[in-house]
Amino acid sequence: MGTAISRRRLLTTAGVSTAGMLLSRHIAFGESADSIAAESAQKQSSASQMRTGPAGLELTIVSVRPQMLRVTVAAVDEMVDTYYDDGSLVPRTYLGPLYAQRTDQPGQPTGVAWGEYTVHVETAPLRVSVRHSQRGVVQELTFHPEVNQVQFQYSGAPVYGLGLGTHPLDRRGTKDVMRNGAGDDLRIFGARNPIPWLMGKGWALYFHLPTGQFDLTGDAGIWHPSDVARAQDIFLMVGETPADLLREYAELTGYPHLPARWTLGFQQSHRTLDSRQQILDEAHTFREKQLPCDTMIYLGTGFCPSGWNTGHGSFAFNSAVFPDPEKIVNKFHALHFNVVLHVVNPPETLHGSVYDTGTAASVPGDAASYWAQHEPFVRMGIDGWWPDEGDVLPTPSRLVRNRMYWEGGRKTRPDRRPFALHRNCYAGIQRWGWLWSGDTTSTWETLKTQIMEGINAGLNGVPYWGTDIGGFVPTREFTAELFVRWFQFGAFCPSFRCHGRTWQLRRPWGWNTGSYGPSEMGPNAASFLPHQEDLHNAAVEPICRKFLETRYRLLPYLYSTAYETHTTGLPIIRSLGLEFPQDGKSWETDDAFLFGPNLLVAPIYESGATKRTLNLPAGKWWDFWTAQPIEGGRNITLEAALESMPLLVRAGAIVPTGPVKQYTEQPSDEPVTLTVYPGTDGAFTFYDDDGLTFAYEHGDFQEIAMHWDDARRTLTLRHSKGSRTKPRRFVAKLAGGKERAITLAAASTSVTLD
C-alpha cells in the first residue's frame, strides 16, 4: 500500500525522493471497489477537516530545479499515502527542502533566497510570492482554504494553457471546468483535453493535485480545487523566456519522444471499404501517380458499414476486406506503406503497465491484458495504432493508454519506434504519443480555428499534433477550395493526415473522379455534398502534389526539428510570440505560426481569398517560393492564389532539404541541400539517424552544428555529437544563388557562398 508520507517528512526527504512518490503512491489496482470507495470517503472527510478543523495547515516549499518550486499545502502532519500518482510527472531527484510553516503558528513575513530569486511567505492570508531583484514580483499564490480557492497573478500579460480544445489563445477572461472530451463548439475547436498548466510572463504553474476548475475572468486568476481535495500540490516555474518555461514543463512531465521518420510523412485514412482489391488499388494509385505517401490508415467497422475489423471494439479482421491479413500487410510493406489500425472501447478503468504479470495482469482493465490483444497484430506487421473514444477515461487511465501504446509497441517489437495517434491525453502524452484534434466540421471557421489550436497545442506541451484535413463532418462549405486550403495547412502540421466522412474526396485525386463515394451522411447527403459538376476538378491533384513534394523535400529540416523538440521541449508548431517574446503583436497572432525554428506559415482560411495580410515580425525575411527578400516589422499583404500559400523564411536560416521521395525511407544518393537565407548570422542543428529504431539511444546518430557568418558569407559545418562521423556530402547555396558542393570529412569544414 505504500509508505505514509507526512508534510514534515516531505520536507526532510525531498532531496532524495522522486516526483512520483513525494506526495503520492501508486494505487494497487487489485483493491476491491469497497476499499476504493472507503478511501474516497476518507478523502472527503479530510478535505472538510482541512478547511474547518482546528489543526491548521502546513505549507511546504521544495526546490525542484533552479527554476522550479513545488508548493504544497495540507493539514498538519497529514498522511498523504492515499493519493495516487496520476502518471504525469517524471521521476527525478529534487534539489532539496526550502521552507515549511504551520499556518496556525503565524510568524512574521519571511524571505528565503532561491538562486537569483527570493521566495516570500506570509501567513495571514497564506501567500507565497517569488520575486526578482530586477523584475519584481514574478508570481504570487494566495491560498483561501475557507472558500476552497487559490489565487494567482497575471502580471499584466497574456496567459496561455489549460490544455487543448480551448479558446481563445489568451485564456484571460474565460472560465474552464476542465471537462475532458467535450466543450463549447466541439465541432469547431476539436476534442477537449484539459491540462492544468498555465504560462504567463516569466512564470508558469502546473496544478498537479487535485482536480478542479479555473476562473480567469477577474483581475487575478482563481483555481477552485475539487471538493474532495486534501492537499494543494502546485509546481511554480520561472524563466526569462517562454522557451525556458516550456523546457521546465518538459523537465516536469517529460521530454517529447523522438518519432520514427515515417510518421512525419503523409498518411491517407480510409473509412467504408468495398473490398480487398480496393485497398490494394488505393496503394498502387499513390505509387503510379507518384504522389508521396507513407501510411495507410483503416477505420474500424462500427462507425461505418465496412472497416478493417468485424465490429465495434473487435480485434478480428473483416474477412470481406482483409481475408488474408498477413498477406495483405506484406503487400503494403512491399509497396513501402506502413499500416495503422483504428481501435475503440478501451477499458474504462485502464491501469497498470504492459510489464505487469501474474495477479496484477489478470485484474480487469490491466494494461498488460489489454495490450495482449494488440500483440498478434504487431507481430504480423501492423505499424501503428489510432486509439479513439477515450473521452470518458479518468485522467490516470488516459495516460496509461497513451503510455501503453508506446511501451507495449517497444516491448513487442524492440527494434521499432511505436506510433499511436490519440484523441485523448493529459500532461505527459508527449513522452509516448501523438494527438489529433478530433471530429471537427468542414467549414472555413473550423479551418481558421484549427490553426489557433495547433499553436495552442505547442504552448501546452503537445508537439505532435494534427487535424482531419478537410474537417471530419462535411457541410455545405465542403468544396474543393476548402479541401485544398486545409491540405496546404496540413502539410505544415506535424501530423499530415487526410480523414473524414465521404472519405474518397480526401484523396489527392478524389475531386476528379466523378463520384464522392459512400457519404455516410444519411439520406439528405446529396442536398449539401458536391454536385456532379464539382467532381471533375483537375486542379486539385497538382496542388496536392506540390505540397506533398514540398513536405517530403523538407523532411531533413522537419526531422531535425523533431530532434530539437525531443531535446528541448520546444514544439514543432510555434507561436510567433514564442520566438519573438518581446513583440506583443506576435503574441496576438493566432492565424500564422513558425513551423520549426525558421519557416513562417500563413494559411489561407477564407473562401475566395487570393491575398493574405500578416503582421510580420521585425527583421529580414525571404519568400520560400520565389527567394525574394521581404522586410519585417510591419503589416504586409502577400499574394496567395489557390495553388500557393504564403511561406516565409527567417534571415539567418539554414534550411536542409532533400530530393522528392515517394516515401520517407526511399533510397537516394542525392546529397542534402543547405539553403542559406542571408541577412544576419544564423545557426541550425542538423540531425540524422536510421529514422526507425532505438539505435540512437546508444550513440548511433549524426548531429552536425551549422553556423552562418553573414559578414564573411561563410557556412561552417562541425561534427558535434554521435558516432556517425563518416564523410557526408552536402550542396550549399544562398537563397536564389549558385550551388557549391561541400563535404564534412574532418571535425569541421567551411565554404564561402555568393
Side-chain angles (χ1 to χ4, degrees):
M1 294 294 292
T3 302
I5 304 174
S6 70
R7 322 302 311 150
R8 189 65 60 183
R9 184 177 171 191
L10 169 62
L11 181 68
T12 58
T13 63
V16 295
S17 299
T18 63
M21 291 302 296
L22 275 170
L23 280 181
S24 59
R25 52 90 172 163
H26 292 276
I27 279 182
F29 279 90
E31 297 174 73
S32 68
D34 290 341
S35 69
I36 294 175
E39 188 171 281
S40 177
Q42 180 185 0
K43 288 182 184 179
Q44 295 186 44
S45 174
S46 178
S48 175
Q49 182 179 12
M50 183 178 116
R51 293 193 295 270
T52 63
L57 303 175
E58 186 171 27
L59 165 71
T60 304
I61 304 176
V62 176
S63 178
V64 182
R65 286 174 36 84
Q67 292 179 280
M68 187 189 308
L69 293 176
R70 188 173 197 170
V71 181
T72 61
V73 178
V76 172
D77 289 328
E78 177 188 356
M79 310 307 286
V80 297
D81 63 317
T82 52
Y83 273 91
Y84 60 88
D85 182 1
D86 63 12
S88 65
L89 308 184
V90 293
R92 65 170 310 111
T93 298
Y94 288 12
L95 291 178
L98 200 66
Y99 183 83
Q101 172 69 49
R102 285 180 59 146
T103 62
D104 60 346
Q105 298 175 354
Q108 295 296 317
T110 304
V112 180
W114 179 48
E116 61 183 60
Y117 299 88
T118 303
V119 180
H120 285 258
V121 179
E122 303 172 52
T123 56
L126 180 59
R127 179 177 291 124
V128 177
S129 60
V130 175
R131 306 179 185 180
H132 189 273
S133 59
Q134 304 297 320
R135 301 191 293 274
V137 176
V138 177
Q139 183 54 271
E140 183 174 85
L141 301 175
T142 305
F143 296 83
H144 295 287
E146 71 282 359
V147 292
N148 201 30
Q149 292 182 3
V150 181
Q151 191 176 65
F152 53 91
Q153 304 301 312
Y154 303 143
S155 303
V159 176
Y160 305 95
L162 298 188
L164 293 89
T166 62
H167 57 96
L169 199 59
D170 180 0
R171 304 297 292 139
R172 291 178 300 174
T174 69
K175 291 184 179 181
D176 200 318
V177 298
M178 304 296 281
R179 184 173 63 248
N180 186 63
D184 295 337
D185 301 320
L186 175 66
R187 293 297 193 190
I188 297 174
F189 295 96
R192 181 73 179 101
N193 282 280
I195 297 173
W197 152 262
L198 287 166
M199 183 172 70
K201 185 178 181 181
W203 60 268
L205 295 169
Y206 180 67
F207 295 80
H208 178 225
L209 291 172
T211 57
Q213 52 190 282
F214 289 89
D215 183 347
L216 279 68
T217 59
D219 294 333
I222 297 175
W223 162 245
H224 294 278
S226 60
D227 287 337
V228 297
R230 284 168 57 98
Q232 296 296 313
D233 187 27
I234 303 170
F235 289 85
L236 191 161
M237 290 151 266
V238 295
E240 293 188 19
T241 69
D244 291 338
L245 297 172
L246 286 176
R247 181 183 285 274
E248 292 305 304
Y249 181 81
E251 285 285 341
L252 180 66
T253 64
Y255 283 86
H257 68 279
L258 181 62
R261 188 159 35 219
W262 66 265
T263 65
L264 299 170
F266 179 64
Q267 303 182 359
Q268 179 65 62
S269 183
H270 303 73
R271 287 182 59 84
T272 294
L273 304 169
D274 295 332
S275 66
R276 176 186 192 274
Q277 193 58 44
Q278 181 196 38
I279 63 175
L280 293 174
D281 286 347
E282 292 291 327
H284 282 287
T285 300
F286 271 101
R287 296 296 179 241
E288 290 164 2
K289 286 178 171 288
Q290 293 193 317
L291 293 164
C293 182
D294 266 85
T295 304
M296 307 297 269
I297 304 179
Y298 295 101
L299 184 77
T301 298
F303 289 121
C304 62
S306 178
W308 74 267
N309 58 10
T310 57
H312 212 57
S314 168
F315 279 87
F317 278 103
N318 173 3
S319 60
V321 180
F322 284 86
D324 48 354
E326 189 165 2
K327 186 175 181 180
I328 290 178
V329 170
N330 289 338
K331 285 181 177 291
F332 280 125
H333 287 167
L335 291 168
H336 305 286
F337 285 101
N338 296 279
V339 179
V340 172
L341 300 181
H342 174 265
V343 285
V344 295
N345 289 359
E348 290 187 8
T349 56
L350 189 62
H351 59 267
S353 162
V354 297
Y355 301 108
D356 287 344
T357 58
T359 303
S362 66
V363 175
D366 186 81
S369 59
Y370 184 49
W371 176 250
Q373 298 179 65
H374 299 72
E375 282 191 312
F377 298 86
V378 178
R379 293 194 180 99
M380 178 191 298
I382 297 302
D383 302 285
W385 300 92
W386 175 17
D388 199 353
E389 281 198 329
D391 296 342
V392 301
L393 295 178
T395 296
S397 294
R398 272 177 260 152
L399 281 178
V400 168
R401 193 186 195 199
N402 297 156
R403 186 171 190 163
M404 182 197 74
Y405 281 97
W406 179 263
E407 292 186 342
R410 187 166 186 176
K411 174 176 176 283
T412 307
R413 200 175 183 188
D415 63 337
R416 295 291 186 271
R417 298 177 216 171
F419 171 75
L421 180 64
H422 297 269
R423 191 172 77 183
N424 300 97
C425 75
Y426 196 68
I429 185 180
Q430 69 275 10
R431 286 179 263 168
W432 312 299
W434 294 63
L435 193 78
W436 105 97
S437 61
D439 298 344
T440 56
T441 51
S442 303
T443 68
W444 290 98
E445 182 183 4
T446 304
L447 172 55
K448 179 182 179 181
T449 304
Q450 289 302 297
I451 299 167
M452 183 204 72
E453 289 299 335
I455 297 169
N456 184 53
L459 293 174
N460 279 276
V462 182
Y464 304 126
W465 175 93
T467 71
D468 289 340
I469 290 176
F472 175 72
V473 182
T475 72
R476 295 179 188 276
E477 296 181 34
F478 186 44
T479 62
E481 181 192 11
L482 176 62
F483 175 74
V484 162
R485 290 306 195 187
W486 210 314
F487 196 93
Q488 292 169 347
F489 165 56
F492 293 91
C493 290
S495 175
F496 185 18
R497 181 185 77 121
C498 281
H499 175 68
R501 292 176 184 166
T502 318
W503 74 266
Q504 294 188 22
L505 291 177
R506 314 307 173 114
R507 303 170 300 179
W509 63 88
W511 289 85
N512 194 30
T513 65
S515 170
Y516 52 67
S519 74
E520 300 176 336
M521 294 299 295
N524 296 322
S527 66
F528 62 86
L529 285 172
H531 297 152
Q532 185 70 25
E533 60 268 23
D534 298 324
L535 299 174
H536 297 278
N537 190 330
V540 174
E541 183 178 331
I543 297 173
C544 290
R545 180 189 305 280
K546 172 183 176 178
F547 281 85
L548 283 168
E549 292 182 349
T550 298
R551 171 72 168 222
Y552 277 72
R553 286 199 299 117
L554 284 168
L555 277 171
Y557 170 82
L558 180 53
Y559 194 56
S560 296
T561 298
Y563 174 69
E564 182 185 31
T565 294
H566 171 62
T567 55
T568 67
L570 286 172
I572 293 176
I573 290 181
R574 301 179 187 180
S575 160
L576 296 184
L578 183 60
E579 289 292 327
F580 302 94
Q582 305 307 318
D583 183 353
K585 291 184 178 179
S586 288
W587 278 117
E588 294 172 2
T589 301
D590 62 3
D591 58 359
F593 56 89
L594 285 175
F595 187 61
N598 294 316
L599 299 182
L600 193 158
V601 182
I604 306 300
Y605 51 81
E606 293 179 338
S607 178
T610 57
K611 296 180 184 295
R612 167 68 203 268
T613 59
L614 171 71
N615 181 72
L616 188 61
K620 189 174 182 179
W621 296 80
W622 296 82
D623 187 301
F624 177 84
W625 309 109
T626 66
Q628 294 300 304
I630 301 172
E631 198 61 39
R634 60 193 176 99
N635 286 321
I636 63 170
T637 298
L638 299 167
E639 296 294 326
L642 183 61
E643 64 271 14
S644 190
M645 179 190 70
L647 182 61
L648 307 181
V649 191
R650 295 170 74 169
I654 306 164
V655 179
T657 56
V660 173
K661 295 184 176 183
Q662 298 307 302
Y663 53 95
T664 55
E665 301 307 320
Q666 184 176 17
S668 174
D669 293 329
E670 260 190 65
V672 168
T673 297
L674 306 176
T675 303
V676 177
Y677 295 82
T680 187
D681 291 349
F684 185 80
T685 299
F686 175 85
Y687 177 82
D688 194 24
D689 60 21
D690 64 24
L692 186 63
T693 76
F694 288 95
Y696 70 91
E697 293 182 342
H698 308 289
D700 185 15
F701 64 88
Q702 183 177 48
E703 183 182 305
I704 299 174
M706 301 181 174
H707 180 264
W708 169 249
D709 186 322
D710 200 59
R712 298 175 56 197
R713 287 296 198 260
T714 300
L715 176 66
T716 300
L717 312 184
R718 177 177 57 84
H719 283 293
S720 55
K721 290 182 182 178
S723 61
R724 294 191 172 194
T725 57
K726 291 182 179 179
R728 175 130 196 179
R729 296 186 302 118
F730 294 95
V731 170
K733 66 175 184 177
L734 294 180
K738 299 177 181 178
E739 294 183 349
R740 294 283 304 276
I742 179 173
T743 300
L744 179 60
S748 66
T749 189
S750 299
V751 63
T752 300
L753 302 177
D754 51 25

